[in-house]
C-alpha cells in the first residue's frame, strides 16, 4: 500500500508542474490577496487564500495538465518535444501512468468539479461556483476534443487561458468584497497577459513537434513561424508583452510606482525574448525560467503598490 501511495503522490507532483502553477495562478492570487490583507479579518484572509490556492492547484495544476498530457500524447506532439520545460509532465512517456488511466482520472475529476459547482449554485454560492466552472471550462476546452482550442491560433489563449487567469486573479476581491475594484481588475488582466506571453515562449521549442502532430497543433507560435518566417516565432510573446506594457497607461498616475515597475518588467522580458536563440531549446527554456521569475515579481509588485 505504501509504495502505491508514494507512487501516486510522485505522479501527482509531476502532473502539477508546480513551477508553472506558482508563476501564473498562485502569482495572480497573491497579486489580489496582498491588498486585501488589511481590509478583511486575518482569519478570513487566510481561509480565502488557502481556498484559492487549493483550487488553483487542483484545476490549473492537476486537471489542466492531465487533460493536456492526454491530448498531446494522442496527437504525438509530446513524443517529439525536446521536453525541457515543455512536452508535458512525462508521466506517460516514463511509464508512470498509462494514457487510459490518465484519461479516466481527468474524466472523473471533471465530473466531480462540475458536480461541486452545481451543489454550490444550489446553496447560493454563485461566485465560487462560477470560478470553478470557468476553470473547468478552460481546462477542458483547451485540450479536449472536439474543441481542443490549444490546437488553433489565438483560440487557446483568449478563450481558455485568459478568462481562467482573469477570474482567478480578481476572484479573491470578488469573494471577499462582493465587488471587483478597479485595482483588482487591473492586476488580474495584467497577470493573465503575462501568463499568455510566457506561454508563447514555452511553445517555441515545440514548434516542429506541434507542426508535425496529428491533428496539427497549430499554436499561435506555429502560425507566426509558418506565416511570417521562423524568426517571427518570437512575435506572439513580444506582442503580449507590449500589451502588458500598454497597461501602464491604464494604471496611470494613480498607481505610478506600480506602473513604473510594470514597464521595467515588460521591457526586460522583451529584451530577453529578442536576444534568445530560438534554435537552442535549452536557451529558450532558460529565458522562460527568467520570465517565470519576472511574472512572480511583477505580480507581487502590483499587489504591494495598489
Amino acid at each position: 500500500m505504501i509504495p502505491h501511495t508514494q507512487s501516486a503522490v510522485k505522479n501527482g507532483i509531476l502532473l502539477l508542474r508546480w513551477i508553472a502553477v506558482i508563476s501564473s495562478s498562485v502569482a495572480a492570487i497573491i497579486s489580489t490577496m496582498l491588498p486585501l490583507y488589511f481590509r478583511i479579518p486575518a482569519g478570513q484572509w487566510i481561509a480565502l487564500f488557502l481556498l484559492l490556492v487549493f483550487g488553483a492547484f487542483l484545476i490549473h495544476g492537476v486537471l489542466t495538465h492531465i487533460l493536456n498530457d492526454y491530448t498531446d500524447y494522442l496527437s504525438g506532439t509530446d513524443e517529439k518535444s525536446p521536453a525541457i520545460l515543455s512536452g508535458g509532465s512525462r508521466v506517460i512517456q516514463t511509464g508512470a501512468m498509462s494514457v487510459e488511466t490518465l484519461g479516466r482520472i481527468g474524466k472523473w475529476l471533471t465530473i466531480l468539479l462540475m458536480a461541486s459547482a452545481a451543489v454550490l449554485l444550489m446553496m447560493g454560492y454563485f461566485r465560487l461556483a462560477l470560478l470553478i466552472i470557468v476553470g473547468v471550462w478552460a481546462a477542458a476546452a483547451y485540450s479536449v476534443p472536439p474543441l481542443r482550442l490549444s490546437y488553433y491560433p489565438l483560440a487557446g489563449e483568449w478563450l481558455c487561458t485568459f478568462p481562467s487567469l482573469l477570474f482567478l486573479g480578481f476572484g479573491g476581491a470578488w469573494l471577499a468584497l462582493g465587488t471587483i475594484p478597479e485595482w483588482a481588475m487591473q492586476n488580474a488582466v495584467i497577470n493573465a497577459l503575462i501568463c499568455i506571453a510566457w506561454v508563447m515562449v514555452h511553445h517555441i521549442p515545440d514548434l516542429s513537434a506541434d507542426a508535425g502532430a496529428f491533428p496539427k497543433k497549430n499554436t499561435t507560435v506555429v502560425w507566426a513561424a509558418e506565416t511570417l518566417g521562423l524568426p517571427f516565432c518570437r512575435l506572439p510573446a513580444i506582442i503580449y508583452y507590449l500589451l502588458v506594457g500598454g497597461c501602464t497607461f491604464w494604471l496611470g498616475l494613480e498607481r505610478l510606482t506600480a506602473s513604473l515597475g510594470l514597464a521595467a518588467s515588460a521591457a526586460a522580458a522583451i529584451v530577453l525574448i529578442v536576444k534568445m536563440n530560438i534554435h537552442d531549446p535549452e536557451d529558450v527554456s532558460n529565458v522562460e525560467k527568467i520570465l517565470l521569475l519576472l511574472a512572480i515579481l511583477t505580480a507581487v509588485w502590483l499587489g504591494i503598490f495598489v
Side-chain angles (χ1 to χ4, degrees), residues 68-233:
N68 190 245
D69 276 17
Y70 179 79
T71 298
D72 283 356
Y73 174 80
L74 294 180
S75 72
T77 181
D78 275 357
E79 292 297 307
K80 302 170 185 175
S81 166
I84 299 175
L85 287 180
S86 57
S89 67
R90 315 307 291 177
V91 294
I92 298 175
Q93 287 77 5
T94 59
M97 294 180 71
S98 69
V99 64
E100 293 81 12
T101 299
L102 203 62
R104 199 177 306 118
I105 293 172
K107 171 186 173 181
W108 284 108
L109 183 55
T110 301
I111 292 171
L112 176 63
L113 286 165
M114 291 305 292
S116 300
V119 170
L120 288 168
L121 277 175
M122 289 186 288
M123 295 174 64
Y125 296 104
F126 170 79
R127 291 189 289 271
L128 191 54
L130 186 57
L131 291 177
I132 294 174
I133 291 169
V134 170
V136 173
W137 150 263
Y142 191 79
S143 297
V144 177
L147 293 177
R148 198 161 32 199
L149 296 178
S150 63
Y151 280 60
Y152 301 93
L154 298 175
E157 54 258 39
W158 282 109
L159 297 178
C160 299
T161 306
F162 185 80
S164 179
L165 267 295
L166 179 71
F167 272 74
L168 184 64
F170 64 60
W174 197 29
L175 292 172
L177 307 176
T179 185
I180 305 171
E182 185 178 16
W183 61 262
M185 184 59 75
Q186 290 171 335
N187 288 10
V189 168
I190 292 167
N191 288 317
L193 288 173
I194 289 173
C195 177
I196 294 175
W198 65 253
V199 167
M200 294 300 100
V201 175
H202 181 78
H203 284 160
I204 290 175
D206 291 331
L207 265 169
S208 298
D210 289 342
F214 184 80
K216 179 180 180 179
K217 189 171 183 179
N218 194 22
T219 64
T220 307
V221 172
V222 170
W223 177 86
E226 292 183 346
T227 305
L228 304 172
L230 183 59
F232 288 91
C233 68

